[in-house]
mmCIF file of all heavy atoms in Angstrom:
data_model
loop_
_atom_site.group_PDB
_atom_site.id
_atom_site.type_symbol
_atom_site.label_atom_id
_atom_site.label_comp_id
_atom_site.label_asym_id
_atom_site.label_seq_id
_atom_site.Cartn_x
_atom_site.Cartn_y
_atom_site.Cartn_z
ATOM 1 N N GLY A 1 66.446 42.200 44.702
ATOM 2 C CA GLY A 1 67.534 43.142 44.930
ATOM 3 C C GLY A 1 68.722 42.971 44.016
ATOM 4 O O GLY A 1 69.733 43.671 44.169
ATOM 5 N N TYR A 2 68.649 42.043 43.049
ATOM 6 C CA TYR A 2 69.762 41.852 42.132
ATOM 7 C C TYR A 2 69.733 42.910 41.031
ATOM 8 O O TYR A 2 68.665 43.246 40.499
ATOM 9 C CB TYR A 2 69.705 40.463 41.493
ATOM 10 C CG TYR A 2 70.045 39.335 42.436
ATOM 11 C CD1 TYR A 2 69.040 38.531 42.978
ATOM 12 C CD2 TYR A 2 71.366 39.080 42.796
ATOM 13 C CE1 TYR A 2 69.337 37.501 43.850
ATOM 14 C CE2 TYR A 2 71.672 38.046 43.664
ATOM 15 C CZ TYR A 2 70.660 37.254 44.187
ATOM 16 O OH TYR A 2 70.965 36.237 45.046
ATOM 17 N N LEU A 3 70.902 43.426 40.694
ATOM 18 C CA LEU A 3 71.023 44.383 39.608
ATOM 19 C C LEU A 3 70.938 43.636 38.287
ATOM 20 O O LEU A 3 71.638 42.636 38.081
ATOM 21 C CB LEU A 3 72.350 45.129 39.707
ATOM 22 C CG LEU A 3 72.535 46.330 38.775
ATOM 23 C CD1 LEU A 3 71.545 47.434 39.134
ATOM 24 C CD2 LEU A 3 73.973 46.853 38.880
ATOM 25 N N GLN A 4 70.087 44.104 37.375
ATOM 26 C CA GLN A 4 69.928 43.410 36.100
ATOM 27 C C GLN A 4 69.655 44.418 34.988
ATOM 28 O O GLN A 4 69.251 45.557 35.233
ATOM 29 C CB GLN A 4 68.778 42.403 36.179
ATOM 30 C CG GLN A 4 67.419 43.031 36.448
ATOM 31 C CD GLN A 4 66.322 41.998 36.624
ATOM 32 O OE1 GLN A 4 66.576 40.836 36.943
ATOM 33 N NE2 GLN A 4 65.078 42.408 36.411
ATOM 34 N N ASP A 5 69.916 43.977 33.762
ATOM 35 C CA ASP A 5 69.641 44.797 32.590
ATOM 36 C C ASP A 5 68.166 44.697 32.215
ATOM 37 O O ASP A 5 67.587 43.604 32.246
ATOM 38 C CB ASP A 5 70.476 44.332 31.395
ATOM 39 C CG ASP A 5 71.963 44.521 31.610
ATOM 40 O OD1 ASP A 5 72.340 45.211 32.575
ATOM 41 O OD2 ASP A 5 72.751 43.973 30.813
ATOM 42 N N ILE A 6 67.598 45.802 31.828
ATOM 43 C CA ILE A 6 66.258 45.827 31.249
ATOM 44 C C ILE A 6 66.426 46.256 29.798
ATOM 45 O O ILE A 6 66.939 47.348 29.526
ATOM 46 C CB ILE A 6 65.321 46.793 31.992
ATOM 47 C CG1 ILE A 6 65.276 46.452 33.485
ATOM 48 C CG2 ILE A 6 63.941 46.765 31.368
ATOM 49 C CD1 ILE A 6 64.752 45.062 33.783
ATOM 50 N N GLN A 7 65.996 45.413 28.866
ATOM 51 C CA GLN A 7 66.264 45.637 27.458
ATOM 52 C C GLN A 7 64.954 45.893 26.708
ATOM 53 O O GLN A 7 63.996 45.118 26.832
ATOM 54 C CB GLN A 7 67.006 44.434 26.868
ATOM 55 C CG GLN A 7 68.317 44.173 27.602
ATOM 56 C CD GLN A 7 69.131 43.031 27.023
ATOM 57 O OE1 GLN A 7 68.664 42.280 26.185
ATOM 58 N NE2 GLN A 7 70.374 42.903 27.467
ATOM 59 N N THR A 8 64.934 46.975 25.942
ATOM 60 C CA THR A 8 63.774 47.349 25.136
ATOM 61 C C THR A 8 64.260 47.727 23.739
ATOM 62 O O THR A 8 65.454 47.968 23.520
ATOM 63 C CB THR A 8 63.015 48.533 25.765
ATOM 64 O OG1 THR A 8 63.908 49.650 25.897
ATOM 65 C CG2 THR A 8 62.458 48.162 27.132
ATOM 66 N N GLN A 9 63.323 47.803 22.792
ATOM 67 C CA GLN A 9 63.693 48.133 21.419
ATOM 68 C C GLN A 9 63.308 49.578 21.126
ATOM 69 O O GLN A 9 62.190 50.012 21.435
ATOM 70 C CB GLN A 9 63.023 47.179 20.445
ATOM 71 C CG GLN A 9 63.119 45.694 20.824
ATOM 72 C CD GLN A 9 64.495 45.256 21.305
ATOM 73 O OE1 GLN A 9 65.507 45.593 20.688
ATOM 74 N NE2 GLN A 9 64.544 44.507 22.398
ATOM 75 N N CYS A 10 64.255 50.283 20.510
ATOM 76 C CA CYS A 10 64.126 51.719 20.333
ATOM 77 C C CYS A 10 64.453 52.111 18.887
ATOM 78 O O CYS A 10 65.069 51.341 18.148
ATOM 79 C CB CYS A 10 65.073 52.456 21.285
ATOM 80 S SG CYS A 10 64.871 51.968 23.026
ATOM 81 N N LEU A 11 64.069 53.337 18.509
ATOM 82 C CA LEU A 11 64.254 53.823 17.143
ATOM 83 C C LEU A 11 65.007 55.145 17.152
ATOM 84 O O LEU A 11 64.922 55.937 18.101
ATOM 85 C CB LEU A 11 62.898 54.042 16.466
ATOM 86 C CG LEU A 11 61.920 52.867 16.399
ATOM 87 C CD1 LEU A 11 60.613 53.329 15.767
ATOM 88 C CD2 LEU A 11 62.522 51.698 15.621
ATOM 89 N N ALA A 12 65.733 55.376 16.048
ATOM 90 C CA ALA A 12 66.311 56.686 15.748
ATOM 91 C C ALA A 12 66.185 56.882 14.245
ATOM 92 O O ALA A 12 66.343 55.935 13.469
ATOM 93 C CB ALA A 12 67.760 56.766 16.193
ATOM 94 N N ILE A 13 65.905 58.106 13.824
ATOM 95 C CA ILE A 13 65.645 58.393 12.411
ATOM 96 C C ILE A 13 66.530 59.549 11.977
ATOM 97 O O ILE A 13 66.674 60.546 12.701
ATOM 98 C CB ILE A 13 64.161 58.737 12.183
ATOM 99 C CG1 ILE A 13 63.272 57.603 12.698
ATOM 100 C CG2 ILE A 13 63.882 58.977 10.690
ATOM 101 C CD1 ILE A 13 61.782 57.930 12.707
ATOM 102 N N GLY A 14 67.166 59.402 10.782
ATOM 103 C CA GLY A 14 68.066 60.452 10.346
ATOM 104 C C GLY A 14 68.311 60.465 8.856
ATOM 105 O O GLY A 14 67.604 59.819 8.069
ATOM 106 N N ASP A 15 69.388 61.186 8.493
ATOM 107 C CA ASP A 15 69.695 61.441 7.093
ATOM 108 C C ASP A 15 70.961 60.745 6.607
ATOM 109 O O ASP A 15 71.509 61.109 5.572
ATOM 110 C CB ASP A 15 69.834 62.952 6.872
ATOM 111 C CG ASP A 15 70.962 63.569 7.722
ATOM 112 O OD1 ASP A 15 71.657 62.816 8.457
ATOM 113 O OD2 ASP A 15 71.133 64.801 7.662
ATOM 114 N N GLY A 16 71.427 59.765 7.355
ATOM 115 C CA GLY A 16 72.663 59.080 6.998
ATOM 116 C C GLY A 16 73.873 59.581 7.748
ATOM 117 O O GLY A 16 74.951 58.990 7.657
ATOM 118 N N VAL A 17 73.717 60.664 8.509
ATOM 119 C CA VAL A 17 74.805 61.196 9.344
ATOM 120 C C VAL A 17 74.290 61.513 10.747
ATOM 121 O O VAL A 17 74.858 61.084 11.746
ATOM 122 C CB VAL A 17 75.444 62.453 8.704
ATOM 123 C CG1 VAL A 17 76.520 63.031 9.637
ATOM 124 C CG2 VAL A 17 76.065 62.121 7.351
ATOM 125 N N ASP A 18 73.210 62.271 10.818
ATOM 126 C CA ASP A 18 72.656 62.693 12.107
ATOM 127 C C ASP A 18 71.312 62.014 12.336
ATOM 128 O O ASP A 18 70.494 61.916 11.404
ATOM 129 C CB ASP A 18 72.477 64.212 12.131
ATOM 130 C CG ASP A 18 73.794 64.948 12.004
ATOM 131 O OD1 ASP A 18 74.725 64.625 12.769
ATOM 132 O OD2 ASP A 18 73.892 65.835 11.132
ATOM 133 N N TYR A 19 71.084 61.582 13.585
ATOM 134 C CA TYR A 19 69.889 60.797 13.915
ATOM 135 C C TYR A 19 69.224 61.358 15.167
ATOM 136 O O TYR A 19 69.902 61.719 16.131
ATOM 137 C CB TYR A 19 70.265 59.321 14.135
ATOM 138 C CG TYR A 19 70.891 58.713 12.900
ATOM 139 C CD1 TYR A 19 72.257 58.831 12.672
ATOM 140 C CD2 TYR A 19 70.110 58.065 11.951
ATOM 141 C CE1 TYR A 19 72.838 58.307 11.525
ATOM 142 C CE2 TYR A 19 70.679 57.541 10.804
ATOM 143 C CZ TYR A 19 72.048 57.672 10.588
ATOM 144 O OH TYR A 19 72.603 57.164 9.439
ATOM 145 N N GLU A 20 67.892 61.406 15.131
ATOM 146 C CA GLU A 20 67.096 61.817 16.289
ATOM 147 C C GLU A 20 66.392 60.591 16.856
ATOM 148 O O GLU A 20 65.752 59.834 16.111
ATOM 149 C CB GLU A 20 66.045 62.854 15.877
ATOM 150 C CG GLU A 20 66.619 64.206 15.502
ATOM 151 C CD GLU A 20 67.005 65.054 16.706
ATOM 152 O OE1 GLU A 20 66.547 64.722 17.828
ATOM 153 O OE2 GLU A 20 67.758 66.021 16.522
ATOM 154 N N LYS A 21 66.489 60.407 18.151
ATOM 155 C CA LYS A 21 65.783 59.293 18.771
ATOM 156 C C LYS A 21 64.285 59.586 18.805
ATOM 157 O O LYS A 21 63.861 60.717 19.072
ATOM 158 C CB LYS A 21 66.331 59.025 20.176
ATOM 159 C CG LYS A 21 67.775 58.497 20.123
ATOM 160 C CD LYS A 21 68.371 58.225 21.480
ATOM 161 C CE LYS A 21 69.813 57.700 21.323
ATOM 162 N NZ LYS A 21 70.475 57.492 22.625
ATOM 163 N N TYR A 22 63.518 58.564 18.508
ATOM 164 C CA TYR A 22 62.061 58.686 18.395
ATOM 165 C C TYR A 22 61.458 59.063 19.748
ATOM 166 O O TYR A 22 61.755 58.417 20.767
ATOM 167 C CB TYR A 22 61.501 57.374 17.879
ATOM 168 C CG TYR A 22 60.008 57.279 17.792
ATOM 169 C CD1 TYR A 22 59.265 58.233 17.104
ATOM 170 C CD2 TYR A 22 59.333 56.219 18.392
ATOM 171 C CE1 TYR A 22 57.885 58.139 17.017
ATOM 172 C CE2 TYR A 22 57.954 56.101 18.305
ATOM 173 C CZ TYR A 22 57.238 57.070 17.626
ATOM 174 O OH TYR A 22 55.872 56.971 17.540
ATOM 175 N N PRO A 23 60.614 60.110 19.804
ATOM 176 C CA PRO A 23 60.031 60.526 21.092
ATOM 177 C C PRO A 23 59.191 59.443 21.759
ATOM 178 O O PRO A 23 59.011 59.461 22.982
ATOM 179 C CB PRO A 23 59.161 61.733 20.709
ATOM 180 C CG PRO A 23 59.726 62.227 19.416
ATOM 181 C CD PRO A 23 60.243 61.014 18.704
ATOM 182 N N GLY A 24 58.686 58.484 20.965
ATOM 183 C CA GLY A 24 57.859 57.422 21.526
ATOM 184 C C GLY A 24 58.627 56.203 21.994
ATOM 185 O O GLY A 24 58.022 55.164 22.314
ATOM 186 N N ASN A 25 59.954 56.305 22.046
ATOM 187 C CA ASN A 25 60.757 55.168 22.532
ATOM 188 C C ASN A 25 60.422 54.847 23.988
ATOM 189 O O ASN A 25 60.097 55.739 24.759
ATOM 190 C CB ASN A 25 62.256 55.498 22.428
ATOM 191 C CG ASN A 25 62.803 55.336 21.032
ATOM 192 O OD1 ASN A 25 62.229 54.656 20.206
ATOM 193 N ND2 ASN A 25 63.945 55.965 20.764
ATOM 194 N N PRO A 26 60.566 53.561 24.361
ATOM 195 C CA PRO A 26 60.826 52.396 23.503
ATOM 196 C C PRO A 26 59.559 51.918 22.793
ATOM 197 O O PRO A 26 58.456 52.096 23.310
ATOM 198 C CB PRO A 26 61.338 51.348 24.490
ATOM 199 C CG PRO A 26 60.703 51.714 25.792
ATOM 200 C CD PRO A 26 60.568 53.207 25.795
ATOM 201 N N VAL A 27 59.747 51.291 21.623
ATOM 202 C CA VAL A 27 58.590 50.849 20.845
ATOM 203 C C VAL A 27 58.235 49.385 21.107
ATOM 204 O O VAL A 27 57.151 48.943 20.731
ATOM 205 C CB VAL A 27 58.824 51.076 19.337
ATOM 206 C CG1 VAL A 27 58.954 52.561 19.037
ATOM 207 C CG2 VAL A 27 60.054 50.307 18.838
ATOM 208 N N LEU A 28 59.135 48.641 21.725
ATOM 209 C CA LEU A 28 58.846 47.262 22.157
ATOM 210 C C LEU A 28 59.401 47.082 23.562
ATOM 211 O O LEU A 28 60.584 47.362 23.809
ATOM 212 C CB LEU A 28 59.477 46.235 21.207
ATOM 213 C CG LEU A 28 58.791 46.044 19.851
ATOM 214 C CD1 LEU A 28 59.663 45.196 18.923
ATOM 215 C CD2 LEU A 28 57.424 45.381 20.032
ATOM 216 N N THR A 29 58.559 46.594 24.467
ATOM 217 C CA THR A 29 58.951 46.407 25.856
ATOM 218 C C THR A 29 58.542 45.010 26.307
ATOM 219 O O THR A 29 58.073 44.188 25.516
ATOM 220 C CB THR A 29 58.272 47.454 26.758
ATOM 221 O OG1 THR A 29 56.858 47.164 26.813
ATOM 222 C CG2 THR A 29 58.484 48.868 26.240
ATOM 223 N N VAL A 30 58.660 44.764 27.606
ATOM 224 C CA VAL A 30 58.274 43.474 28.175
ATOM 225 C C VAL A 30 56.808 43.166 27.886
ATOM 226 O O VAL A 30 56.415 41.995 27.777
ATOM 227 C CB VAL A 30 58.558 43.451 29.687
ATOM 228 C CG1 VAL A 30 57.732 44.504 30.418
ATOM 229 C CG2 VAL A 30 58.327 42.074 30.283
ATOM 230 N N ASP A 31 55.987 44.190 27.729
ATOM 231 C CA ASP A 31 54.561 43.979 27.451
ATOM 232 C C ASP A 31 54.322 43.383 26.070
ATOM 233 O O ASP A 31 53.228 42.887 25.795
ATOM 234 C CB ASP A 31 53.802 45.299 27.567
ATOM 235 C CG ASP A 31 53.822 45.843 28.980
ATOM 236 O OD1 ASP A 31 53.917 45.041 29.928
ATOM 237 O OD2 ASP A 31 53.753 47.080 29.145
ATOM 238 N N ASP A 32 55.322 43.451 25.201
ATOM 239 C CA ASP A 32 55.185 42.948 23.831
ATOM 240 C C ASP A 32 55.813 41.571 23.643
ATOM 241 O O ASP A 32 55.878 41.066 22.514
ATOM 242 C CB ASP A 32 55.834 43.930 22.855
ATOM 243 C CG ASP A 32 55.224 45.314 22.944
ATOM 244 O OD1 ASP A 32 54.056 45.455 22.552
ATOM 245 O OD2 ASP A 32 55.910 46.235 23.431
ATOM 246 N N LEU A 33 56.259 40.961 24.733
ATOM 247 C CA LEU A 33 56.853 39.633 24.666
ATOM 248 C C LEU A 33 55.785 38.551 24.713
ATOM 249 O O LEU A 33 54.748 38.727 25.368
ATOM 250 C CB LEU A 33 57.830 39.427 25.827
ATOM 251 C CG LEU A 33 59.154 40.183 25.750
ATOM 252 C CD1 LEU A 33 59.849 40.160 27.106
ATOM 253 C CD2 LEU A 33 60.056 39.560 24.680
ATOM 254 N N PRO A 34 56.027 37.406 24.065
ATOM 255 C CA PRO A 34 55.117 36.273 24.263
ATOM 256 C C PRO A 34 55.245 35.734 25.678
ATOM 257 O O PRO A 34 56.213 36.037 26.391
ATOM 258 C CB PRO A 34 55.609 35.258 23.228
ATOM 259 C CG PRO A 34 57.052 35.591 23.023
ATOM 260 C CD PRO A 34 57.144 37.086 23.165
ATOM 261 N N GLN A 35 54.300 34.949 26.093
ATOM 262 C CA GLN A 35 54.312 34.401 27.444
ATOM 263 C C GLN A 35 55.609 33.634 27.689
ATOM 264 O O GLN A 35 56.031 32.810 26.882
ATOM 265 C CB GLN A 35 53.123 33.468 27.652
ATOM 266 C CG GLN A 35 53.008 32.941 29.085
ATOM 267 C CD GLN A 35 51.744 32.119 29.292
ATOM 268 O OE1 GLN A 35 50.930 31.971 28.385
ATOM 269 N NE2 GLN A 35 51.568 31.594 30.493
ATOM 270 N N GLY A 36 56.253 33.948 28.808
ATOM 271 C CA GLY A 36 57.495 33.271 29.160
ATOM 272 C C GLY A 36 58.735 33.929 28.616
ATOM 273 O O GLY A 36 59.860 33.505 28.915
ATOM 274 N N GLY A 37 58.585 34.975 27.797
ATOM 275 C CA GLY A 37 59.740 35.661 27.239
ATOM 276 C C GLY A 37 60.482 36.471 28.286
ATOM 277 O O GLY A 37 59.903 36.916 29.281
ATOM 278 N N SER A 38 61.776 36.690 28.063
ATOM 279 C CA SER A 38 62.626 37.360 29.043
ATOM 280 C C SER A 38 62.831 38.825 28.688
ATOM 281 O O SER A 38 63.234 39.150 27.567
ATOM 282 C CB SER A 38 63.994 36.671 29.101
ATOM 283 O OG SER A 38 64.915 37.433 29.856
ATOM 284 N N ALA A 39 62.581 39.721 29.652
ATOM 285 C CA ALA A 39 62.863 41.144 29.467
ATOM 286 C C ALA A 39 64.341 41.445 29.672
ATOM 287 O O ALA A 39 64.819 42.514 29.290
ATOM 288 C CB ALA A 39 62.032 41.970 30.446
ATOM 289 N N ILE A 40 65.072 40.519 30.270
ATOM 290 C CA ILE A 40 66.500 40.706 30.508
ATOM 291 C C ILE A 40 67.303 40.354 29.261
ATOM 292 O O ILE A 40 68.303 41.001 28.948
ATOM 293 C CB ILE A 40 66.951 39.843 31.705
ATOM 294 C CG1 ILE A 40 66.184 40.264 32.963
ATOM 295 C CG2 ILE A 40 68.451 39.960 31.927
ATOM 296 C CD1 ILE A 40 66.393 39.320 34.128
ATOM 297 N N ASP A 41 66.864 39.320 28.543
ATOM 298 C CA ASP A 41 67.521 38.903 27.310
ATOM 299 C C ASP A 41 66.542 39.095 26.151
ATOM 300 O O ASP A 41 65.855 38.160 25.724
ATOM 301 C CB ASP A 41 67.959 37.437 27.407
ATOM 302 C CG ASP A 41 69.105 37.249 28.381
ATOM 303 O OD1 ASP A 41 70.113 37.959 28.233
ATOM 304 O OD2 ASP A 41 68.998 36.410 29.285
ATOM 305 N N PHE A 42 66.467 40.308 25.659
ATOM 306 C CA PHE A 42 65.520 40.698 24.613
ATOM 307 C C PHE A 42 66.227 41.764 23.777
ATOM 308 O O PHE A 42 66.182 42.944 24.093
ATOM 309 C CB PHE A 42 64.238 41.245 25.260
ATOM 310 C CG PHE A 42 63.179 41.719 24.294
ATOM 311 C CD1 PHE A 42 62.902 41.049 23.111
ATOM 312 C CD2 PHE A 42 62.428 42.854 24.598
ATOM 313 C CE1 PHE A 42 61.911 41.503 22.242
ATOM 314 C CE2 PHE A 42 61.430 43.305 23.740
ATOM 315 C CZ PHE A 42 61.180 42.634 22.558
ATOM 316 N N ARG A 43 66.949 41.322 22.725
ATOM 317 C CA ARG A 43 67.861 42.270 22.091
ATOM 318 C C ARG A 43 68.194 41.921 20.636
ATOM 319 O O ARG A 43 67.892 40.868 20.143
ATOM 320 C CB ARG A 43 69.162 42.362 22.892
ATOM 321 C CG ARG A 43 69.934 41.062 23.087
ATOM 322 C CD ARG A 43 71.159 41.336 23.969
ATOM 323 N NE ARG A 43 71.912 40.128 24.305
ATOM 324 C CZ ARG A 43 71.683 39.379 25.370
ATOM 325 N NH1 ARG A 43 70.708 39.678 26.197
ATOM 326 N NH2 ARG A 43 72.422 38.310 25.615
ATOM 327 N N ASP A 44 68.848 42.900 20.014
ATOM 328 C CA ASP A 44 69.490 42.767 18.703
ATOM 329 C C ASP A 44 68.490 42.641 17.558
ATOM 330 O O ASP A 44 68.520 41.676 16.777
ATOM 331 C CB ASP A 44 70.452 41.574 18.679
ATOM 332 C CG ASP A 44 71.428 41.564 19.832
ATOM 333 O OD1 ASP A 44 71.688 42.646 20.377
ATOM 334 O OD2 ASP A 44 71.926 40.478 20.188
#
């Protein structure tokens, strides 16, 4: 019941000014972590 952040990796593609977020986002999730990796601290 604790509120927590869920962090995933996402993409946006553009021309240097305007960017569209990739329809297939997120491209990396908890399923792509090695064993024992944290979905709460998975960033940058």
